[in-house]
Amino acid sequence: MRAKLRETGLDGFIIPRADEHLGEYVPESAERLAFCTGFTGSAGLAIVLLDQAAVFSDGRYTLQLETETDAALWERLHITENPPETWLKAHAAGQKIGYDPWLLSADALDRFTGVKLMAVASNPVDEIWADRPAPPMAPAVPRVLALAGEDSAAKRTRIATILAEAGQDAAVLTDPASLAWLFNVRGTDVGFTPIALGFAILNADASATIFMAGAKLPPETRAHLGNEVSTAERAALPAALAALAGKTVRYDPASMPVWFKTTLEAAGAKISEGVDPVALPRACKNEAEQAGARAAHLRDGVAMTRFLCWLAEAAPGGGETEVSAGEKLLAFRAMGENFRGESFPAISGAGEHGAIIHYRVSEESNRAIKPDEVYLIDSGAQYLDGTTDITRTVWTGPGPAPAAVKEHVTRVLAGHIALATAVFPEGVAGPHLDAFARNALWQAGLDYDHGTGHGVGAYLSVHEGPAGISRAAKTVALKPGMILSNEPGYYLPGAYGIRLENLLLVQNAVFPASKRKFLCFETLTLAPFDRALIEPALLTPAALEWLNAYHKRVLAALGPLLEAPVLAWLQAATAPI
Amino acid sequence: MRAKLRETGLDGFIIPRADEHLGEYVPESAERLAFCTGFTGSAGLAIVLLDQAAVFSDGRYTLQLETETDAALWERLHITENPPETWLKAHAAGQKIGYDPWLLSADALDRFTGVKLMAVASNPVDEIWADRPAPPMAPAVPRVLALAGEDSAAKRTRIATILAEAGQDAAVLTDPASLAWLFNVRGTDVGFTPIALGFAILNADASATIFMAGAKLPPETRAHLGNEVSTAERAALPAALAALAGKTVRYDPASMPVWFKTTLEAAGAKISEGVDPVALPRACKNEAEQAGARAAHLRDGVAMTRFLCWLAEAAPGGGETEVSAGEKLLAFRAMGENFRGESFPAISGAGEHGAIIHYRVSEESNRAIKPDEVYLIDSGAQYLDGTTDITRTVWTGPGPAPAAVKEHVTRVLAGHIALATAVFPEGVAGPHLDAFARNALWQAGLDYDHGTGHGVGAYLSVHEGPAGISRAAKTVALKPGMILSNEPGYYLPGAYGIRLENLLLVQNAVFPASKRKFLCFETLTLAPFDRALIEPALLTPAALEWLNAYHKRVLAALGPLLEAPVLAWLQAATAPI
């Protein structure tokens, strides 16, 4: 790598964990950070200088970073406490530092100052990566209208109107999930998210061009795209951007590779900054997508209930482990119709492992699920008709749960219910509701160090923008049709972790006497909360009423779909408290 | 005016309702908008072109704007629905439009586009305003250390550290409340806020220069300021800014006149954008200021209780009016030690007038307070040791209040209590807590169209930044010592208005077992809520407990200070529910 840098006259190079779409999951061909450093975490960045190097990640990966990387070669640093830009400025002031303009957003690049930044035409990591995997070539497949609920032409017309109203002639789209929604296609290029990697230019007349390897676009997909959508190889992108000379083009400096910005500017196009115009419409699920989500959650509820029933019998000393439990749940899910895989790597954490918020069990960390402890499982599935994400926290028994644990769980549950039952006027955004989910914990001097909720796609990414429920989330007003998670928690390091997660669907709340428009949440997820961990005296009468009504609904919905022993277990698990 | 414009070659001129400090209350000498248009509201702006003119204000003043201005001369417009910048662009595209750089912030000026903006050296309004009042010349008087709690040298050192850490050599200060706090002086230049108008430059070595007419700085004030604070006439400002050539100077484009920006830039100073560095430290009241606030609220509570007792007897058919009631309260306040005047014009609204959020009774609007209706009074006082702001809503009787009114009041009260009892970790800001105060209303499809809380100064402005409790407020983390109002409401147009307001003091919440730092509120205001308007069945047991405990505290604090008949009334008013 250093020889390659010297060859090209560079004093250093920035290697982010990113592909050209700057998303959460990347194909193996883009795992440059892992290739260079050995670090396989999902977020990080390395900087290689001629005589020193550093690799950065966040608190989730502190241990993994130290285990996977060589201290003799790499300084290992916390990415927010010791930001790469500070390190670079201190160690390479004034030097020529290379970067791949496809792998950094304009905003990310702007944070690096005090050095001479040089975009490379060819990534030097790729040049030394002899056995680099080929980029994925899975086909993009059409999404039927019955599931999409709106055809691509109508969607493109809607987004084109947004562009026209903003005085923009075109928008570049770099998020494959935006392509997936806009053109009603899905793919299997990366894990967990059913997307086909590609780029697009959408014009203000609703026509569009998709830039994707021809091999990924079989005839039926081309036919599905229609006449107003042309396709081209990615190599055609520079010429297509050059053709936008004199045009006003929407571009998001926060989420899109800086390559687009520099190429558009060089071509003489006028950049109009704006977020991905697809993000907000995509987040507001239509009736068909809402119906799909409900159907998927019914199946997911059946799988979760079978799993929880199995766990109740197997867990207390049955020799099961974090890994085997996760596999069992996956097997139950795989029995469901339309199952396409997990929506993210499951978090299966027993006892103290539950307190590690982003715990991912490995062969080394795997341990038995023991009697009389807290077990947390956070998992989700991709079904053709919807994406799920659920967390349950259970007491393995057979003894009773300690009062302190029950108090913690019940405070988390009280927050979960407060958010689930929130009613709020139009204009309210996630940051304004986040405290509802924390209030019961705050009153006891407790809190959790993660957001309360993230957006969830319709057979798309389980982490979807633009809305979220946390103080750090953007103040994007919640709109009917948005799906968001409701997942307050509490973590006692070294002891146990608690998280109670359902997905919420934003709905109109009807007050006939009110002139204002109000919204509320419909809870999509269907699975019981563990009664063994609930202290009813700590819930208000209204909260207890919600819990009993929810359990009644779970039983009514899932009961007819369950075999007798599981049904019997669920009847007991959902009996009124 | 138009002759004057033609003389100077201008096609139009912008006249904001502002003085050179861009604050809420302005001296008579700066009431240029009123002089030109006749409109005396507290917020507005006019644009005079050679052949047409428009005057803008907000929803509070729609009626007043139409009454006070001449439709033949002025187009009267809503300032947010028909923004002046849109009107100007449409009516004067490309024309030369003059503005007074002392009366617009850089941000406000930036909003005007599509015309040729020309700063004037001398305001043409002043040139035609023959009987323009002289600027106020009241002396700036020292604030004793016992009330300020920290001497100016210590304050200046603290702020200078902020500048030094930001790499700034100096800061310009244009908010007289910042001067008042930083130099421990107060004045009487404008109504309601005890400030002396002036500017200052604070240097990173903690030395400073105050720019204020020499006549306003008597010898004892100069002595109080000390050797490290020099004073100069305002005419010396340009030279003082010129002396900052090559220096980095902190300037806030949102709150400071653009004149400072252009003058600093012309002088060769480097502008470093940043909010007024005094704002946040000023908002965090020290122990002495907190003690002063408590003492002031005790006196204010005595006055309010005497008033409420008087009202209970006088109101049901006693011939009292909105004006006479307001005067009565003022008289009760004036009996208190250290009283210096009202902190804002009182809102005294009976029945349907209470639904006008910013109602200000006039001779024309004044009406009798009738039996069996809702009466709202929102008022505050300036005491030498603290600033108060309180709203109470009462039922005039003698009959019982209708159930619907009681439900509305109780929902407002539930929100008030939810905020008063909030506990939250460090880092939480007003926008994250606002929903607590609205939740009980939202659950019934109701809301109010104003913020929940604003900052309040220590014998300073009753509307003080930087923190506030509303969705629109800045996300400035709440800090111990901040004083904020807690004033949810509900308004039924044409019928009645409800608002229940106490002031809150942010305090540390102590959880011995928690490693996190938590905050909570101490309620400063002491006066009973009207029991006749409370429906106990609509409050949770915890809320009812808070109410009874609060009333018990009000009685214990005020009882010893009240004469027998008022004490008897308060005993009944605060008896447990």
Side-chain angles (χ1 to χ4, degrees), chain A residues 26-320:
Chain A
V26 308
E28 281 182 31
S29 55
E31 293 282 13
R32 296 178 183 89
L33 183 67
F35 166 72
C36 289
T37 69
F39 173 63
T40 60
S42 71
L45 183 143
I47 301 174
V48 178
L49 302 179
L50 294 180
D51 54 354
Q52 49 194 324
V55 55
F56 305 78
S57 190
D58 59 49
R60 293 175 288 174
Y61 294 115
T62 308
L63 232 103
Q64 190 177 332
L65 190 63
E66 297 194 357
T67 315
E68 293 184 338
T69 62
D70 184 344
L73 298 174
W74 302 94
E75 204 172 332
R76 286 90 57 98
L77 296 167
H78 192 286
I79 201 160
T80 48
E81 289 166 15
N82 293 291
E85 49 272 23
T86 309
W87 188 91
L88 186 64
K89 201 194 243 177
H91 290 80
Q95 295 184 19
K96 287 185 201 164
I97 305 299
Y99 68 94
D100 185 336
W102 283 94
L103 304 183
L104 286 174
S105 70
D107 285 356
L109 187 68
D110 278 350
R111 284 193 282 272
F112 291 101
T113 57
V115 297
K116 209 173 166 189
L117 291 164
M118 323 270 285
V120 296
S122 165
N123 194 312
V125 177
D126 299 356
E127 292 169 30
I128 60 169
W129 192 356
D131 56 348
R132 183 179 168 217
M137 278 294 159
V141 298
R143 183 155 178 80
V144 296
L145 189 59
L147 291 173
E150 183 180 12
D151 68 25
S152 173
K155 287 180 177 179
R156 281 183 280 110
T157 301
R158 276 210 282 150
I159 309 297
T161 306
I162 296 172
L163 302 186
E165 281 172 2
Q168 295 156 342
D169 300 306
V172 291
L173 301 176
T174 65
D175 179 356
S178 292
L179 274 66
W181 180 88
L182 187 62
F183 302 111
N184 286 335
V185 293
R186 294 295 188 273
T188 55
D189 280 344
V190 300
F192 309 107
T193 306
I195 48 175
L197 300 179
F199 303 95
I201 295 173
L202 175 69
N203 303 305
D205 67 359
S207 69
T209 305
I210 297 177
F211 300 86
M212 199 180 276
K216 294 170 68 171
L217 293 160
E220 65 151 351
T221 302
R222 285 179 198 260
H224 170 76
L225 292 170
N227 289 334
E228 290 192 347
V229 177
S230 50
T231 61
E233 294 290 326
R234 197 190 111 172
L237 249 179
L241 295 187
L244 293 171
K247 299 286 173 66
T248 298
V249 183
R250 183 171 177 133
Y251 163 85
D252 181 9
S255 73
M256 297 179 178
V258 67
W259 181 87
F260 285 87
K261 185 182 178 200
T262 48
T263 305
L264 283 167
E265 284 175 344
K270 191 187 160 200
I271 285 186
S272 172
E273 291 192 0
V275 297
D276 181 338
V278 170
L280 184 60
R282 184 183 63 203
C284 300
K285 279 73 182 173
N286 58 40
E287 288 298 328
E289 291 170 322
Q290 294 182 27
R294 288 190 197 97
H297 276 89
L298 205 58
R299 257 170 271 131
D300 210 53
V302 167
M304 271 303 291
T305 302
R306 284 176 177 152
F307 169 76
L308 292 170
C309 170
W310 166 84
L311 187 69
E313 289 198 13
E320 299 295 339

Side-chain angles (χ1 to χ4, degrees), chain A residues 421 423 442-443 445 449 514 516, chain B residues 421 423 425 443 445 449 514 516:
Chain A
T421 57
V423 177
W442 286 356
Q443 291 285 336
D449 285 333
S514 179
R516 297 165 191 264
Chain B
T421 58
V423 177
Q443 290 286 337
D449 285 332
S514 180
R516 297 163 191 265

Side-chain angles (χ1 to χ4, degrees), chain A residues 421-428 431-433 435-436 439 442-447 449 471 511 514 516 518, chain B residues 421-428 431-433 435-436 439 442-447 449 471 511 514 516 518:
Chain A
T421 57
V423 177
F424 49 93
E426 278 192 328
V428 165
H432 310 129
L433 297 178
F436 282 173
N439 195 19
W442 286 356
Q443 291 285 336
L446 309 173
D447 201 2
D449 285 333
R471 295 208 294 281
F511 292 101
S514 179
R516 297 165 191 264
F518 275 82
Chain B
T421 58
V423 177
F424 49 92
E426 277 192 330
V428 165
H432 311 131
L433 298 179
F436 282 173
N439 195 22
W442 286 356
Q443 290 286 337
L446 309 173
D447 201 1
D449 285 332
R471 294 209 294 282
F511 293 102
S514 180
R516 297 163 191 265
F518 275 82

Side-chain angles (χ1 to χ4, degrees), chain B residues 232-278:
Chain B
E233 294 291 325
R234 196 190 111 174
L237 249 179
L241 295 187
L244 293 172
K247 298 286 172 69
T248 299
V249 182
R250 183 170 178 133
Y251 163 85
D252 180 10
S255 72
M256 297 179 177
V258 67
W259 180 87
F260 285 89
K261 185 184 179 198
T262 48
T263 306
L264 283 167
E265 284 175 344
K270 191 186 160 201
I271 284 186
S272 173
E273 290 191 0
V275 297
D276 181 337
V278 171

Side-chain angles (χ1 to χ4, degrees), chain A residues 289-372:
Chain A
E289 291 170 322
Q290 294 182 27
R294 288 190 197 97
H297 276 89
L298 205 58
R299 257 170 271 131
D300 210 53
V302 167
M304 271 303 291
T305 302
R306 284 176 177 152
F307 169 76
L308 292 170
C309 170
W310 166 84
L311 187 69
E313 289 198 13
E320 299 295 339
T321 66
E322 293 167 338
V323 166
S324 70
E327 286 168 352
K328 193 77 190 176
L329 176 54
L330 181 56
F332 282 127
R333 281 202 166 107
M335 291 162 62
E337 206 183 343
N338 288 342
F339 178 74
R340 291 292 183 276
E342 290 183 292
S343 59
F344 63 98
I347 296 168
S348 171
E352 72 284 359
H353 286 168
I356 303 167
I357 295 173
H358 293 273
Y359 179 64
R360 189 168 174 183
V361 59
S362 65
E363 280 193 30
E364 293 74 42
S365 73
N366 187 30
R367 81 160 178 77
I369 299 174
K370 297 180 213 157
D372 291 334

Side-chain angles (χ1 to χ4, degrees), chain B residues 434-526:
Chain B
D434 179 67
F436 282 173
R438 299 178 192 266
N439 195 22
L441 288 162
W442 286 356
Q443 290 286 337
L446 309 173
D447 201 1
Y448 49 93
D449 285 332
H450 58 74
T452 299
H454 53 82
V456 175
Y459 189 47
L460 269 177
S461 178
V462 75
H463 294 143
E464 180 183 87
I469 300 176
S470 79
R471 294 209 294 282
K474 291 177 193 159
T475 50
V476 172
L478 300 188
K479 305 251 183 219
M482 285 183 173
I483 296 178
L484 296 147
S485 69
N486 172 9
E487 48 180 313
Y490 175 71
Y491 308 91
L492 195 60
Y496 53 84
I498 297 157
R499 190 159 59 251
L500 302 178
E501 177 186 25
N502 282 346
L503 297 193
L504 302 172
L505 170 60
V506 182
Q507 293 282 18
N508 288 303
V510 181
F511 293 102
S514 180
K515 278 175 211 154
R516 297 163 191 265
K517 281 203 173 180
F518 275 82
L519 302 171
C520 62
F521 295 118
E522 170 190 343
T523 289
L524 292 171
T525 307
L526 296 166

Side-chain angles (χ1 to χ4, degrees), chain B residues 199-213:
Chain B
F199 304 95
I201 295 173
L202 175 68
N203 302 305
D205 67 358
S207 69
T209 306
I210 296 177
F211 300 86
M212 198 180 275

